[in-house]
Amino acid sequence: MAAKQEIDTAALNASIDLVELVGRYAPLQKDGKDYKGLCLFHTEKSPSMTVSPEKGFLHCFGCGAHHDAIGFFMAVENLDFKAATAKLLNGSGTGSGYVVPQRTTKLKRPPPRKTFAPPADNAKPDMHIKALGDPVAVWMYRTAEGGPLGYVARYDDDGKKTIRCWTFGQHSDQDPPAWECGHFATPRPLYNLDRIAANTTAKILLVEGEKTADAAQQLFPSLIASTWPGGAMAIDRVDWTLLKGRKVVLMPDADEPGRQAMDRIAAYLHENGAVEVKGVDTETQPDGSLSPEGWDLADAVGWTPEQAIKWAVERASVYPPPESKPETPPAA
């Protein structure tokens, strides 16, 4: 019997022209060293998928899809590893002489990956990414009962902040559940969900990002600080029903995208039954000076809780219920 042939995935990935491969499924435009295009894994009007030939992967900042060449081909053609590599190798047995397979059938959008809490005895995932290294910070998302649900990891990409999610799940019922670098399935959970569930009368302080939420918790200990995975591009993918019946305070980053994001979140909260929604104007500091562009509570170094509470109370105002529902794009 012939010995089982092992696939050298690194060699195969390296031999593939990732831009050419992805370009057969979606039009791409040059964007510096990278390329951008409409994501193939969720419905969108503005391109949020970036293809990086230098780093050897594509990433969607809208839905979190993250693949190397093999993983992309598996996902877009809905193939398992064996079938995908067989097609990519064209029977050669090595990565040399690779030719992108011609697509002969109409592209079918692969089913979304299902994510769920890992078994109690499942180990924390290895979050090392070849192109990014190990994360410099990690935040755990928990179930309402307090168990691990997934992680948000921050990487230092040549001085630039890069965020990735790590979730447990499967692409189909035939696949074994496993950890993967990818977003939570829709609807996505809230950070500190276990504390929200355990304290049903506590007011919620909603900010942008896990680092900011941790800082906010120290400055506003009587509230429950929370955020959501995916940033401003993922507002419509969050389970806002989790805040039904709650009083919520929204504190945006001190920039226009942050304010627009919180305006949209206020509309979702009203639609999903929040009893009170207030916003804090973060444009000025306690001394009346303008906040630096993009400032958030993680930058409030040296503040005391008393100072932070006084500052927030003076700048808080009520968000009235919107006259119309926020625009919701088609489900992915």
Side-chain angles (χ1 to χ4, degrees):
M1 180 181 295
K4 182 180 179 181
Q5 187 177 32
E6 296 293 333
I7 301 296
D8 187 339
T9 55
L12 179 54
N13 274 319
S15 71
I16 295 172
D17 185 332
L18 184 61
V19 174
E20 180 188 7
L21 176 61
V22 178
R24 296 209 176 199
Y25 298 88
L28 299 175
Q29 290 186 336
K30 195 80 165 64
D31 183 34
K33 293 182 179 179
D34 300 329
Y35 293 78
K36 295 188 73 172
L38 293 173
C39 182
L40 290 153
F41 305 107
H42 79 285
T43 301
E44 61 178 7
K45 296 179 180 179
S46 299
S48 59
M49 179 180 68
T50 295
V51 181
S52 176
E54 184 177 278
K55 295 175 181 177
F57 61 71
L58 65 85
H59 181 78
C60 175
F61 291 92
C63 72
H66 183 87
H67 299 293
D68 58 17
I70 298 173
F72 168 77
F73 193 59
M74 289 172 61
V76 79
E77 290 285 359
N78 199 20
L79 299 170
D80 61 21
F81 178 80
K82 183 178 180 180
T85 53
K87 284 192 173 185
L88 290 170
L89 289 168
N90 293 293
S92 68
T94 70
S96 60
Y98 155 80
V99 177
V100 179
Q102 292 289 338
R103 179 157 56 94
T104 57
T105 59
K106 184 178 180 181
L107 176 64
K108 295 181 180 179
R109 191 177 301 278
R113 178 171 174 262
K114 295 180 289 185
T115 63
F116 39 83
D121 59 350
N122 194 278
K124 185 178 178 180
D126 177 5
M127 299 184 212
H128 180 85
I129 297 176
K130 184 177 179 181
L132 300 173
D134 293 317
V136 296
V138 174
W139 294 272
M140 180 189 289
Y141 276 68
R142 297 182 180 273
T143 65
E145 295 72 32
L149 181 60
Y151 300 88
V152 169
R154 175 174 177 165
Y155 298 82
D156 183 0
D157 185 9
D158 294 329
K160 181 182 177 182
K161 177 180 72 173
T162 299
I163 302 294
R164 297 285 184 267
C165 284
W166 290 85
T167 53
F168 191 82
Q170 58 191 155
H171 292 275
S172 72
D173 293 337
Q174 287 70 46
D175 296 328
W179 286 103
E180 186 174 304
C181 182
H183 263 296
F184 297 94
T186 302
R188 296 177 184 173
L190 292 172
Y191 186 53
N192 286 330
L193 177 58
D194 54 327
R195 297 191 62 223
I196 294 172
N199 298 274
T200 57
T201 60
K203 188 176 292 187
I204 310 301
L205 174 58
L206 203 62
V207 298
E208 297 181 66
E210 294 78 16
K211 180 181 178 181
T212 307
D214 288 351
Q217 193 62 70
Q218 298 300 312
L219 293 172
F220 299 89
S222 66
L223 310 184
I224 297 177
S226 183
T227 190
W228 67 96
M233 296 290 291
I235 288 170
D236 49 38
R237 297 175 180 274
V238 178
D239 189 358
W240 298 115
T241 63
L242 297 169
L243 299 183
K244 181 179 181 180
R246 308 300 285 258
K247 294 183 178 181
V248 186
V249 178
L250 307 180
M251 194 172 293
D253 291 355
D255 54 29
E256 189 57 31
R259 289 185 284 272
Q260 291 179 359
M262 289 302 182
D263 287 347
R264 292 185 60 212
I265 289 173
Y268 279 117
L269 291 174
H270 280 300
E271 181 186 354
N272 286 283
V275 297
E276 180 185 79
V277 183
K278 289 185 176 181
V280 174
D281 183 353
T282 56
E283 290 188 8
T284 58
Q285 297 290 289
D287 62 2
S289 62
L290 288 176
S291 299
E293 183 77 5
W295 181 92
D296 60 38
L297 286 177
D299 301 314
V301 179
W303 287 29
T304 65
E306 293 75 19
Q307 183 183 22
I309 292 169
K310 181 176 184 296
W311 169 83
V313 169
E314 291 175 350
R315 290 160 175 77
S317 59
V318 174
Y319 271 101
E323 297 180 0
S324 60
K325 294 182 179 180
E327 181 181 352
T328 303

